[in-house]
Amino acid sequence: MNDFNSRYRNIDDEPGTIRTNAGGYAGYNGGLDEGYDAGFGSDMDIMEQENIQRQKQAARASKARGTTKGRKSKRQMLIYGIIIAVEVIALIVIWAMYISYNSKLSKGGSSEASAQESSDAGSSGNINVENENFSLTCNKISITADSTGAPVAIIYFNFVNKTDTALSMSQVFSPSFKQTGVDLAVAGALADAPQELAGKDTPVSGGQAVDCAFAVNLMDTTSEITITMHDNYETFSDIGSTVVPIS
């Protein structure tokens, strides 16, 4: 019995104590609670560390999302800026084209108006020209014959060049001649050709004048001649017409 009691005391040295899972011995009143609290405290530390890790991961993810969103925002702003710049350039080009078109239209209208005024003047019997660039005056018409004896009309002009470029009358003005509605052909060799025939193709510089003449074959020596002047320099249209009796 004594041995049994001895062995029992070796196992339970003091009454009222038990062995716990937390290690060592704990009393009923204090040891059990302390061991439980120690184990629970360890679990709490692990959970707290896990929470901290999750918070850090969430913070890194949020930062990454913010960085990505910032990059996307900058890229979108750049794209919008490029689109706006292209639209502004397109509007400037369209506006420039519009102004250029209106300017050309205005000039065209002015040229047409000038041509119309000259045409109206010509229809009233005037083929003479006087502007800032040229002066042209029809002086007279004479009747002669070519080498075959066919009747020829010689129409005389005085041409003044006011530009800075040497020009001849034939380069600037091209007259046409009709009789009974038929175009008159340029005359061939004349028995007595005047010097003025060469003057129509002679260039003169600014401020100089030259006497010119055109020779055409006539249909007859009684019907009137219709002279029409064409502008080869500015309007590129007929600017005057007149009817001249030759009988």
Side-chain angles (χ1 to χ4, degrees), residues 109-137:
S110 299
S111 298
E112 290 178 1
S114 299
Q116 184 63 35
E117 290 175 1
S118 300
S119 178
D120 292 342
S123 63
S124 63
N126 182 19
I127 59 170
N128 298 330
V129 176
E130 184 69 42
N131 57 37
E132 60 181 6
N133 294 318
F134 309 103
S135 173
L136 181 68
T137 305

Side-chain angles (χ1 to χ4, degrees), residues 78-94:
L78 178 61
I79 294 172
Y80 291 154
I82 293 173
I83 292 173
I84 292 173
V86 171
E87 290 178 349
V88 169
I89 293 172
L91 288 174
I92 292 173
V93 171
I94 293 172

